[in-house]
Amino acid sequence: MASATLTRRRDNLPFEVTSFVGRRRELADLRRLLTTARLVTVTGPGGVGKTRLVLRLARDLRRLFPDGVWMVELDALNASGMVAHAVADSLGVQEQPSGDPVASLAAQLEDRRLLLLLDNCEHVLDEASALASAVLQMCPEVRVLATSRQALGVAGEFIFNLAPFSVPRAEDLALPDLEVPGYDAVGLFTERARAVVPGFEITADNRQAVATLCARLEGIPLAIELASARLRALSLAEILERLDDRFRLLSAGARRAEPRQQTLQSVVDWSFHLCSAEEQRLWLRASVFAGGFDLPAAEAICTDDELPHGAVLDLVASLVDKSILSREDRGASARYVMLDTLREYGHTRLVASGEGRSMHRRHRQYFESVARERVFGRHAREVLDRLRAEHGNLRAALEFCASEPGQAVHGLALASALWHFWTANGTFAEARTWLARLLEVAPQEVTENHAWALCMAGWFASLQNDLAAAAALLERSRAEATQLHDRTLLGYVAMFSGSVATAEGRNADAMALFQKALDDLRLTTDVPGIAFSARRLAMTESAAGEHERAAAHYAECLRLCEEHGEDWEKAYALWGLGLVAWRQADHTRATELLRQSIRINSSFDDRRAVALGIEGLAWVAADTKQEEQAAVLLGAADAIWRIFEAPLAGFVQLADDHDQCEEAVRRALGEQAYEAAFQSGAQLTPQQAAEYAVDPESRDATSRRRPRPVESPSPLTRREQEIAQLVARGLTNREIASQLVISDRTAEAHVEHILTKLGFRSRTQIAAWLLQQQSPDSHDRRAAPDG
């Protein structure tokens, strides 16, 4: 069950490092350091290339970590207390409902073998330090690679200071025969210049100018890239002239800053002043975005009489050309991202201009409207995908509401509108965190926003099985909804209260509450609420043996879904009907309905719903004497449930059915066979589990196992690859045996098999071969140097 808390991906690295000028020595040094150190922090000034270096190293080292390489980008976090949430979100891990979120996260990773990349820690240093410290103490097989402008200050931390690229010395610049190609900074400038001016080369005429430019920029990659981008409009001589003006201006005004920070600041300042007034204005205003933005967002938030709507497209394109923005394709649309250094620069100027609050208000208003788009109907998938893409902006808007006077009431509306999004993602702890913060700072008045926020806080408490807190919050919401005469809200309060009653085993109360919710919501225009409450009522009726009534209410839910093109709620109804068929011993129909539900819920990446479908299929398999398949399915479902804070999260009323199935299958197979089948299922990712559940015959026993992240074929087995990696780290046979919990003789035999397969005579050759395999330009090469 080593990957039970990880998402279906084996890593989440954001992009391929297609160009990697210089840094070969640094890459090798950092690789060696990471083989012995469990926490390495790459430090250096902003723009020096820390992220690019660790991404390249992470891609080279993927195969060394069976549970993958996972990057957590912290630069979009503006709120305090969100680092653990961001890490959990990236890894697909759900925090515990109470207690320290850092300790909870570390506890769920304690038996994993993975590499965790924490990128841009400097602005959340205390939280990143606490997280890294907990991981070091509780997770012996997890290694942490961080980037920060400041060391984390954690015991056991190794600091890797990344210096700027090599540049010609000042005394060498006047030499007529100066050889510039050997300097990494010149190599980077040349490569980037070719992207702007095809065919650019270092010549006798320009080498002095290139060398001088790189030296004046002190070899900082970001500065060099910004300078090379100016070749679109300026000559080298013009760039040098303007750069010289910027250096003098900054050296007179920021003497207390670190020298490298002065240089970076001067380059960014110079880049800013090379922009037109309209480009500068858009740069400043776009700094309110966190995690990127699309064109409609920029047009809605950043425009006014001074920056017309129609000008934004050309200005965005211009900022892309000038390397202020980078473009990422997401589906059919483009998304724009600003480097953190440039975003901070723009935001400082935005605040100084007096526009900061107004831009953040517009940002909040826009993303509140985005959050209000219903995750129901024909466009539900698109809405959900967009909310996931805008997670950073949603967090930024919520933080503004929680920290800016007078904005909390809007934050309550925004947080409440996101309940479908948070439910789909399984981010229950984050939802409760935001709702609790906003309820604490908002005026304690009976308003629509306050009453709905209480209701949604109760819902997420119930999903975490914090039933006492859920009941209290829902009762407060019911009282306020009664004062407001809000029938829709009263319907939702009754519906969520029915879920609490169900979890507590009060089935009669639950049925009455779901019926009240359905009666109230039928008098409103809230179609999603009607469908939801009809389905919850049907589920309770089915569990009570009232199958005909349950079928009628499921039919009402399905009718509404068909009328509105709604697939997600339909999938839950199909799941419920599958359980009805199972309880009536119609196993063929049950299997068909449950598989339909899994297909749809998998397309929404609703892991909780996929687990529910897999559970149902396990019960069907057990009843039809397919015990091995049932055990595999139970293992696959268990792996997904472990992502959440409790088994059957939100559906604990089904626990008895689960327990009865498990007991029957264990008894039929015997303990050893059951555990073997269960573990084979537990190693499936959620996506693999869904595929197996829908078509078990398409996968044999070996293909069910979670694949290692290997990019090219290898003559070695999975175990042999693992042992080869330990050999490369210098471990003896006895140390390998101890680490893998095998006998010394078994370890020795594996090493001998590896030598025989590869045709080698020494362990040194194994290490050299493995390093060659990890090289990005290797293609299944077998040869290694003699040694």
Side-chain angles (χ1 to χ4, degrees), residues 393-410:
N393 280 311
L394 295 168
R395 284 170 169 162
L398 287 165
E399 175 61 25
F400 174 69
C401 293
S403 57
E404 181 71 15
Q407 292 295 311
V409 64
H410 299 292

Side-chain angles (χ1 to χ4, degrees), residues 71-112:
M71 184 171 190
V72 185
E73 297 172 281
L74 303 177
D75 54 350
L77 296 184
N78 295 319
S80 60
M82 297 307 296
V83 168
H85 292 315
V87 175
D89 188 40
S90 293
L91 272 72
V93 172
Q94 178 62 41
E95 303 99 314
Q96 296 294 329
S98 60
D100 181 4
V102 173
S104 170
L105 179 63
Q108 295 192 61
L109 299 179
E110 61 183 353
D111 61 342
R112 310 294 183 256

